[in-house]
């Protein structure tokens, strides 16, 4: 918290980190300046992705990048839910301020990750996406396995799903949600040092592969200028509502 208060990270700063991250990943690709296409296109169930369509129908609206375009980036999101929105809010803040060197689209998978059939539909959907970078933004980590390795960036938020299970279910989740995607992705980020340390501990084979890019502070957060801190060594923080997986380190 002390670090956060002394150096709050804005969406623009985080976008700059991700911008350089994507640029490093595709530095070998040459691009030409052309008329800028829309920076953000949100694809959801109402604009061409219907979760009730047949499994093997082409669910993807994404097209392969054309010659001369800016490098294309897809931010791959889980299916929306009223109870799960933290990842969505995070990348909603970042996407509009990514560098003009990238064409960014937010794409949501068609199904919630409940049961093997729905997960399979998400994998098929993901396999049909085309972009220079496909960034699996969180939760649906297994979808990284359907992305060509050289185009895959994966962001890990926490291991809370793994901590809830035991026995064979834990082993299956560990392999499909964590171990294999972590090994497969070309680049992996974590949102905190704590998350990286937990991943390095649980999966030593990928130790050293993960780069930490902290979550940004949204524009809805404002400093209280009228509050006078009693001591510069002990800042006062009021945190309303949290959970162990929110990394309050």
């Amino acid at each position: 918290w002390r670090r956060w208060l002394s150096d709050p990270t804005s969406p623009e700063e985080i976008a700059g980190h991700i911008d350089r991250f994507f640029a490093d990943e595709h530095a070998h690709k040459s691009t030409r300046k052309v008329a800028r296409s829309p920076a953000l296109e949100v694809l959801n169930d109402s604009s061409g992705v219907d979760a009730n369509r047949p499994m093997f129908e082409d669910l993807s609206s994404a097209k392969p990048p054309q010659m001369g375009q800016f490098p294309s980036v897809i931010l791959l999101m889980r299916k929306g839910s009223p109870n799960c929105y933290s990842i969505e809010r995070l990348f909603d803040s970042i996407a509009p301020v990514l560098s003009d060197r990238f064409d960014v689209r937010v794409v949501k998978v068609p199904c919630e990750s409940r049961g093997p059939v729905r997960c399979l539909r998400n994998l098929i959907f993901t396999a049909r996406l085309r972009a220079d970078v496909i960034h699996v933004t969180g939760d649906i980590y297994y979808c990284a396995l359907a992305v060509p390795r050289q185009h895959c960036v994966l962001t890990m938020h926490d291991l809370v799903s793994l901590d809830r299970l035991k026995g064979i279910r834990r082993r299956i989740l560990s392999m499909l949600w964590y171990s294999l995607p972590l090994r497969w992705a070309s680049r992996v980020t974590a949102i905190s040092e704590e998350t990286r340390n937990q991943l390095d501990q649980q999966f030593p084979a990928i130790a050293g592969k993960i780069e930490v890019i902290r979550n940004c502070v949204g524009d809805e957060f404002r400093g209280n200028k009228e509050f006078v801190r009693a001591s510069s060594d002990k800042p006062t923080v009021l945190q309303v509502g949290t959970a162990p997986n929110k990394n309050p380190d």
Side-chain angles (χ1 to χ4, degrees):
W1 277 114
R2 186 173 301 166
R3 184 181 67 215
W4 183 85
L5 284 172
S6 63
D7 183 25
T9 309
S10 68
E12 288 79 6
E13 291 175 283
I14 291 297
H17 286 303
I18 296 177
D19 182 22
R20 291 189 292 273
F21 198 71
F22 291 159
D24 290 343
E25 182 69 5
H26 292 274
H28 64 282
K29 293 180 178 288
S30 61
T31 58
R32 301 175 188 170
K33 295 234 171 189
V34 295
R36 180 86 168 106
S37 62
L40 183 63
E41 174 188 353
V42 178
L43 303 179
N44 52 35
D45 291 343
S46 64
S47 61
V49 179
D50 184 353
N52 296 318
R53 291 181 181 178
M55 179 184 300
F56 293 102
E57 184 178 349
D58 187 358
L59 297 174
S60 169
S61 298
K63 297 180 180 180
Q66 303 297 319
M67 290 297 294
Q69 283 185 335
F70 290 92
S72 56
V73 175
I74 287 178
L75 300 178
L76 186 63
M77 310 286 288
R78 62 192 173 186
K79 181 177 174 64
S81 168
N83 300 320
C84 300
Y85 46 81
S86 58
I87 296 174
E88 288 76 6
R89 289 180 64 183
L90 171 64
F91 283 93
D92 282 348
S93 298
I94 296 171
V97 289
L98 278 172
S99 168
D100 284 343
R101 288 181 295 166
F102 298 99
D103 284 327
V104 181
R105 287 182 295 137
V106 175
V107 179
K108 296 182 180 181
V109 295
C111 303
E112 295 183 5
S113 300
R114 295 182 179 179
V117 174
R118 293 180 182 180
C119 290
L120 179 60
R121 287 192 65 184
N122 288 341
L123 285 168
I124 293 171
F125 174 87
T126 303
R128 291 172 175 167
L129 297 175
R130 297 293 181 270
D132 294 306
V133 175
I134 298 179
H135 184 172
V136 181
T137 56
D139 190 43
I140 51 171
Y141 306 133
Y142 64 94
C143 285
L145 299 173
V147 179
R149 174 175 284 176
Q150 67 271 25
H151 300 291
C152 183
V153 173
L154 175 64
T155 291
M156 307 296 293
H157 294 266
D158 55 63
L159 284 77
V160 66
S161 300
L162 192 61
D163 295 336
R164 290 172 180 164
L165 301 176
K166 295 181 180 180
I168 187 65
R169 293 182 64 190
R170 190 181 193 278
R171 293 180 185 178
I172 293 173
L173 185 76
S174 175
M175 180 177 65
L176 296 180
W177 252 259
Y178 294 94
S179 180
L180 291 179
L182 284 167
R183 289 169 179 262
W184 178 255
S186 175
R187 303 292 290 271
V188 180
T189 72
I191 64 167
S192 70
E193 294 287 349
E194 177 64 19
T195 296
R196 177 166 67 178
N197 292 339
Q198 290 180 14
L199 289 167
D200 286 347
Q201 207 170 34
Q202 291 281 349
F203 308 99
I206 54 89
K209 182 178 182 179
I210 301 172
E211 179 177 339
V212 174
I213 298 180
R214 292 186 291 152
N215 286 348
C216 64
V217 179
D219 292 335
E220 66 270 24
F221 291 94
R222 296 285 187 270
N224 186 355
K225 297 180 180 179
E226 298 178 359
F227 177 76
V228 178
R229 191 182 303 169
S231 171
S232 59
D233 295 331
K234 295 182 178 180
T236 301
V237 175
L238 174 63
Q239 170 68 27
V240 181
T242 188
N245 64 307
K246 295 305 178 183
N247 295 282
D249 62 325

